[in-house]
Amino acid sequence: MANERLRHAMHRAGHDLNSLAEAAEVSAKSVERWISGNAIPHPRTRYRVAAILGEDESYLWPSAVDSASLTGAELVATYPRRSLVPRHTWMELLRGAERNVDLIAFAGLFLTEEHPEWIPTLAKKAAAGVRVRLLLGDPQGSQLAARDQEYRIGGGVAGRVAAVLAYYGEAMPETVEIRLHDTPLYNSIYRFDDDMLVNVHAYGVLAACTPVLRLRRMDGAFFNTYMESYERVWASARPAMLAQEVPS
């Protein structure tokens, strides 16, 4: 079976058979065999090629790596509170995204208020062809009301969603997809290509005060589980009508 992951990674990195062969110090015939699926490079060469293409070797050749060891390897870092995630991390991950930016939260207002470059960078990414999907809490649904009652803030969550919708509505190109969900939010998920930050929620505790996992997809269990959850919510959510969601 052809190695489409390798083929696409080469295309994204601007390499053809000859240029990758030269960079990896192998023959073009060897690269051709890798793409056709008829051969897998030796470990040292796999590592070199993965570095050249900016991918994990386990992503390019998953059958060559022990999948059991990858599950733990996906966990890059943990933070006891979201507020302890290094401030630069959010923007670095966004700037590095080339294919997908996916977000699910009730509001995620901290991104737009604490990071002035978040909105223009996100808009620039979308204009460049990155698929941007934003899932925010539905002000007309039951889950935001339940979260308000949990936090005892009298409609404050819906107000935060309205503020975020206003931010995104003013600056986002039409290619940005925004949907509203009415599902229990066990985790807020922030995905940037093969990197992900997962804000793990706890009842009665503000999201900024709950733990965050930083994941890097390596064909293990963590990343795929959260993406499966994201896709389920995305499929059930409704398109946002930015100027009409929350009554004034």
Side-chain angles (χ1 to χ4, degrees), residues 13-55:
H15 280 287
D16 59 18
L17 285 173
N18 293 321
S19 65
L20 181 60
E22 182 178 355
E25 301 178 358
V26 298
S27 68
K29 190 67 177 177
S30 293
V31 177
E32 187 176 5
R33 288 198 296 268
W34 301 343
I35 295 173
S36 67
N38 293 325
I40 295 176
H42 295 297
R44 181 176 298 179
T45 305
R46 288 201 307 267
Y47 181 83
R48 183 185 305 129
V49 171
I52 293 168
L53 299 180
E55 294 286 356

Side-chain angles (χ1 to χ4, degrees), residues 38-93:
N38 293 325
I40 295 176
H42 295 297
R44 181 176 298 179
T45 305
R46 288 201 307 267
Y47 181 83
R48 183 185 305 129
V49 171
I52 293 168
L53 299 180
E55 294 286 356
D56 290 306
E57 62 176 296
S58 60
Y59 174 77
L60 298 174
W61 293 284
S63 63
V65 183
D66 179 6
S67 60
S69 67
L70 294 179
T71 300
E74 282 192 299
L75 189 58
V76 176
T78 59
Y79 307 94
R81 295 169 175 258
R82 191 190 70 201
S83 57
L84 296 178
V85 176
R87 185 180 177 84
H88 61 83
T89 297
W90 301 94
M91 290 307 305
E92 285 181 357
L93 290 175

Side-chain angles (χ1 to χ4, degrees), residues 65-133:
V65 183
D66 179 6
S67 60
S69 67
L70 294 179
T71 300
E74 282 192 299
L75 189 58
V76 176
T78 59
Y79 307 94
R81 295 169 175 258
R82 191 190 70 201
S83 57
L84 296 178
V85 176
R87 185 180 177 84
H88 61 83
T89 297
W90 301 94
M91 290 307 305
E92 285 181 357
L93 290 175
L94 177 59
R95 292 189 188 102
E98 297 180 351
R99 304 186 305 278
N100 300 92
V101 175
D102 297 318
L103 178 157
I104 178 172
F106 274 142
L109 187 60
F110 75 98
L111 290 172
T112 58
E113 291 194 334
E114 298 176 13
H115 302 275
E117 293 302 309
W118 177 264
I119 291 288
T121 304
L122 192 64
K124 186 182 298 184
K125 287 292 180 179
V130 174
R131 187 184 186 189
V132 177
R133 297 186 297 174

Side-chain angles (χ1 to χ4, degrees), residues 104 106 138 143-144 147 181-186 232-233 236-237:
I104 178 172
F106 274 142
D138 189 340
Q143 294 300 321
L144 250 61
R147 187 57 60 96
H181 70 93
D182 188 28
T183 54
L185 193 66
Y186 302 120
R232 288 177 181 272
V233 179
S236 67

Side-chain angles (χ1 to χ4, degrees), residues 74 196 215 217 219-229:
E74 282 192 299
M196 180 183 290
L215 307 177
R217 174 160 36 199
D219 279 17
F222 283 115
F223 195 102
N224 293 339
T225 295
Y226 287 113
M227 279 312 303
E228 179 182 352
S229 173

Side-chain angles (χ1 to χ4, degrees), residues 106-107 137-162 182 185 203-206 246:
F106 274 142
D138 189 340
Q140 300 176 17
S142 62
Q143 294 300 321
L144 250 61
R147 187 57 60 96
D148 274 330
Q149 184 175 9
E150 175 187 337
Y151 289 157
R152 301 179 182 178
I153 54 179
V157 179
R160 293 171 69 83
V161 173
D182 188 28
L185 193 66
Y203 184 83
V205 181
L206 293 173
V246 181

